[in-house]
Amino acid sequence: PIGRWVLQTACAQAKRCLERGWSIPIAVNISGRQFKQPSFVDMLVAIVEGCDLDPQWIELEITESTIMENVDEAILTLTDLKVRGFRLAIDDFGTGYSSLAYLKRFPISKLKIDRSFVRDIATDENDAAIVTSIIALTKHMELQVVAEGVETEEQIRFLVQRGCLDGQGFLFSRPLPADQFETLCQNMLS
C-alpha cells in the first residue's frame, strides 16, 4: 500500500509541476517487492491515467540488485514500461553485481552511480577509476549518468571534468517537502 501511495503522490506532484509550466520529470524509487508484483505495470498505468499524466514525466528507479534477481522477468517488465513511455533508471549502479552482457539488454536510459563510489572519488584511486569507467560506459552506450551523494565542490569538479553533468546530493539540496520543493523550483526557474 505504501508503494501505491508513493506512486500516486509522485504522479500528482508531476502533474502540479506541469500545470505550473515546469518540465520536470519526477523520479520514484520502486521497491524490489513492488517491481516483482504481477499487477505492478497495470497499477502504475492506472495511477498515471488517473492523474491525466503522460508517463514520460515519471522516471522509475529500480535498483541493480532487484533487476539481477530474475533478469529475464525484469527485462520483460522493463520493456513493457519503456514501451508505455516511462523513463527507466538503474539505481545504485555498481553495487548489484550486474553483468555487462545483461546491461546492454535492459531498456533503460539512465544509470545512477551509487554514492558509495562518489563519496571518496577525490581521495580513493579505486573509487575514482570505477566512477570514471562508469561514466565512459554510459557515454558509449548512449545512456544518461547521474552521480548520487554529491556533497562537495571537489566531487562535482571531478564528475564534470569526466563528463557527468547530472548529480544529486546535499550539495544541491537536502530532501524537501513538496511545498518547499515547489518554492525552490519557482525561485530557480524564475
Side-chain angles (χ1 to χ4, degrees), residues 93-94 98 100 103 111-114 117-118 121 124-147 158-159 161-164:
F93 185 75
S98 71
L100 296 179
L103 182 60
L111 290 181
K112 297 184 74 178
I113 304 170
D114 188 71
F117 301 116
V118 174
I121 54 176
D124 185 305
E125 289 181 16
N126 291 324
D127 285 342
I130 290 169
V131 170
T132 300
S133 297
I134 293 171
I135 294 168
L137 174 70
T138 60
K139 285 182 182 179
H140 290 290
M141 294 184 72
E142 298 180 5
L143 298 172
Q144 291 177 285
V145 63
V146 176
F158 177 97
L159 294 162
Q161 288 172 352
R162 284 151 185 86
C164 178

Side-chain angles (χ1 to χ4, degrees), residues 1-12 27-30 34 47:
I2 196 167
R4 179 186 261 298
W5 175 85
V6 167
L7 287 166
Q8 288 172 325
T9 302
C11 289
V28 183
N29 291 82
I30 303 300
Q34 188 174 29
I47 291 170

